[in-house]
């Protein structure tokens, strides 16, 4: 009986390292409320490199992210420009200023985010340049440090999946990120509470069974006497 109780209790304990997401990706524990009032921009991406074909593989993921978070993403694949690279080194400050101006000229509110790819010299579809995210101020309420870490984790996983096209891996990254960061997983505390309740119920049942068995034994002993 004791062994049975231990087995049942252990089954309700949280499994180490388990999560509905891939093992390499953190499961969000933060409750987030989707933005409202973000004006949809007519375009979802800008591709100077010609890397995007079958664009619905990309836009479906971007639209899903928008529907879940209230942030409209905009993807830019930018051809090589020497102003963003100095002696082969990417210039973050220059890129930041550039994207700030693009944001100001393109969007009418602060609920957008730009994922920009800055191609390096002699770039190819292996994409050896640099990806960079620029946010509108309102987007930070969703894309906090945890959410951004989750985004880049999915990004790396999908980038390394050679079965996916560029459009597919970017679109899938946004889709998976939205599902993760907008869903609060039940924490281990609630799991332990459930386990304790089940364990307690089983204990009560075992005690009742023990009392019944003891009474029957007493009656048998009285009858034998």
């Amino acid at each position: 009986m004791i062994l049975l109780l231990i087995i049942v209790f252990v089954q309700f304990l949280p499994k180490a390292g388990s999560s509905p997401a891939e093992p390499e990706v953190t499961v969000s524990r933060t409750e987030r409320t989707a933005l409202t009032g973000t004006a949809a921009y007519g375009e979802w991406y800008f591709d100077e490199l010609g890397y995007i074909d079958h664009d619905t593989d990309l836009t479906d993921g971007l639209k899903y992210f928008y529907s879940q978070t209230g942030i409209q993403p905009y993807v830019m694949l930018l051809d090589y420009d020497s102003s963003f690279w100095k002696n082969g080194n990417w210039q973050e400050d220059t890129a930041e200023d550039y994207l700030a101006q693009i944001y100001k000229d393109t969007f009418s509110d602060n609920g957008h985010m730009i994922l920009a790819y800055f191609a390096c010299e002699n770039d190819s579809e292996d994409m050896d340049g640099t990806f960079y995210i620029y946010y509108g101020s309102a987007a930070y309420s969703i894309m906090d440090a945890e959410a951004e870490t989750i985004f880049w984790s999915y990004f790396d996983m999908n980038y390394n999946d050679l079965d996916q096209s560029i459009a597919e891996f970017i679109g899938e990254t946004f889709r998976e990120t939205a599902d993760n960061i907008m869903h609060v997983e039940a924490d281990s505390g609630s799991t332990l509470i459930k386990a304790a309740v089940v364990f307690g119920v089983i204990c009560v049942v075992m005690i009742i069974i023990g009392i019944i068995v003891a009474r029957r034994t007493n009656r048998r002993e009285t009858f034998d006497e």
Side-chain angles (χ1 to χ4, degrees), residues 136-148:
S137 58
Y140 280 113
S141 64
I142 303 294
M143 290 301 296
D144 51 27
E146 179 192 60
E148 185 167 331

Side-chain angles (χ1 to χ4, degrees), residues 23-88:
E24 298 87 348
V25 180
T26 299
V27 177
S28 176
R29 303 295 184 185
T30 303
E31 185 174 354
R32 298 177 176 86
T33 302
L35 298 182
T36 58
T38 302
Y41 181 62
E43 302 294 332
W44 293 88
Y45 71 95
F46 174 70
D47 180 15
E48 287 185 335
L49 299 167
Y51 288 172
I52 303 298
D53 53 1
H54 301 99
D55 65 351
T56 55
D57 292 333
L58 171 63
T59 57
D60 285 353
L62 302 182
K63 290 175 182 178
Y64 182 79
F65 184 88
Y66 179 38
S67 71
Q68 298 300 303
T69 65
I71 300 171
Q72 185 186 13
Y74 184 60
V75 173
M76 301 183 71
L77 304 183
L78 302 171
D79 205 352
Y80 172 73
D81 184 332
S82 60
S83 63
F84 299 123
W85 299 87
K86 185 176 181 180
N87 299 323

Side-chain angles (χ1 to χ4, degrees), residues 15-210:
K15 305 294 189 298
S18 65
S19 78
E22 294 291 336
E24 298 87 348
V25 180
T26 299
V27 177
S28 176
R29 303 295 184 185
T30 303
E31 185 174 354
R32 298 177 176 86
T33 302
L35 298 182
T36 58
T38 302
Y41 181 62
E43 302 294 332
W44 293 88
Y45 71 95
F46 174 70
D47 180 15
E48 287 185 335
L49 299 167
Y51 288 172
I52 303 298
D53 53 1
H54 301 99
D55 65 351
T56 55
D57 292 333
L58 171 63
T59 57
D60 285 353
L62 302 182
K63 290 175 182 178
Y64 182 79
F65 184 88
Y66 179 38
S67 71
Q68 298 300 303
T69 65
I71 300 171
Q72 185 186 13
Y74 184 60
V75 173
M76 301 183 71
L77 304 183
L78 302 171
D79 205 352
Y80 172 73
D81 184 332
S82 60
S83 63
F84 299 123
W85 299 87
K86 185 176 181 180
N87 299 323
N89 297 314
W90 184 66
Q91 304 298 298
E92 181 175 348
D93 290 343
T94 304
E96 177 91 11
D97 292 342
Y98 171 79
L99 293 178
Q101 189 62 51
I102 291 291
Y103 194 103
K104 180 180 178 181
D105 294 342
T106 304
F107 306 118
S108 60
D109 57 57
N110 294 312
H112 299 261
M113 63 179 283
I114 300 172
L115 173 66
Y117 173 70
F118 295 85
C120 61
E121 191 172 11
N122 302 317
D123 198 69
S124 70
E125 291 191 26
D126 290 335
M127 307 190 86
D128 296 320
T130 297
F131 280 92
Y132 192 76
I133 295 179
Y134 185 89
Y135 301 104
S137 58
Y140 280 113
S141 64
I142 303 294
M143 290 301 296
D144 51 27
E146 179 192 60
E148 185 167 331
T149 298
I150 289 169
F151 176 88
W152 288 119
S153 296
Y154 283 124
F155 184 94
D156 289 342
M157 289 170 51
N158 289 312
Y159 175 84
N160 291 318
D161 182 355
L162 300 182
D163 291 330
Q164 296 190 73
S165 68
I166 292 172
E168 287 173 328
F169 97 75
I170 296 176
E172 187 63 17
T173 295
F174 276 97
R175 181 183 296 276
E176 291 174 331
T177 299
D179 283 339
N180 191 328
I181 68 175
M182 300 307 290
H183 173 70
V184 178
E185 189 69 16
D187 60 27
S188 58
S190 62
T191 302
L192 290 173
I193 291 173
K194 291 178 182 177
V197 170
V198 172
F199 185 76
V201 170
I202 294 175
C203 286
V204 171
V205 172
M206 293 299 101
I207 291 172
I208 293 173
I209 292 174

